[in-house]
Amino acid sequence: MKPLIRLAVATGLLLGAGAAFAASNSPVGTWKTIDDKTHQPKSIVQITEVNGELQGKVLQVLQSDEGPHPTCKECDGERKDKPVEGMVIMWGVKPDGDEWDGGKILDPKNGKTYKVKLKTIENGTKLDVHGYIGFSLLGRSQVWVRQE
């Protein structure tokens, strides 16, 4: 009987570890964005899953040319002149194998919207965020760092 209990406990621990590993390789979580040009932290973005799609919302702006609490001056439509903090800047991203694709990402600095592709790297501790127009070979990438 004791070996059976030990086997059940070991199986439970392995399944729990597998679930934790799988969760760490998902983009869902809180990320520190790193500027691809200056390599400085820019903001804190929370990625959540809503109806099977990922979306990202700016929780905090860490550095901005406009100072604290910038607004999206270059944005069109409903985002025009709205605070960047609290703004959904990424939406419609769906799983595609080891990556997440098919959504859009907004650059609040220039108000432009790009297609986006996400891929976790370094065991889920970093996120490669690739924004592009047209083909994914063209565009630019940032590496975001997962926050604990």
Side-chain angles (χ1 to χ4, degrees):
M1 187 70 160
K2 283 186 180 180
L4 187 58
I5 292 172
R6 287 185 191 146
L7 178 62
V9 169
T11 302
L13 290 173
L14 286 173
L15 289 174
F21 178 75
S24 71
N25 282 322
S26 166
V28 172
T30 305
W31 300 89
K32 183 182 291 184
T33 69
I34 308 297
D35 187 274
D36 54 312
K37 294 177 184 169
T38 67
H39 305 290
Q40 297 300 310
K42 296 284 284 187
S43 63
I44 304 294
V45 172
Q46 182 180 41
I47 297 177
T48 57
E49 184 177 335
V50 178
N51 298 323
E53 297 181 349
L54 300 182
Q55 73 174 27
K57 179 178 11 178
V58 178
L59 297 180
Q60 180 182 11
V61 175
L62 302 173
Q63 192 278 326
S64 166
D65 296 339
E66 294 181 38
H69 312 296
T71 58
C72 198
K73 291 185 170 100
E74 301 298 323
C75 289
D76 294 329
E78 64 184 29
R79 290 183 175 92
K80 177 100 176 126
D81 296 323
K82 298 289 188 215
V84 174
E85 290 176 335
M87 183 177 288
V88 173
I89 60 162
M90 184 172 55
W91 59 92
V93 184
K94 299 175 187 170
D96 182 16
D98 291 345
E99 299 180 345
W100 288 262
D101 199 359
K104 305 280 185 179
I105 191 165
L106 169 75
D107 183 345
K109 187 172 182 176
N110 64 22
K112 293 183 181 177
T113 302
Y114 304 93
K115 293 179 182 178
V116 68
K117 184 178 282 198
L118 307 174
K119 182 172 177 102
T120 57
I121 55 177
E122 297 185 26
N123 293 322
T125 61
K126 294 185 178 178
L127 183 66
D128 179 66
V129 180
H130 184 70
Y132 61 98
I133 297 174
F135 299 102
S136 66
L137 295 175
L138 305 173
R140 64 183 238 225
S141 289
Q142 290 185 343
V143 175
W144 296 1
V145 179
R146 188 182 295 273
Q147 300 299 284
E148 297 288 325

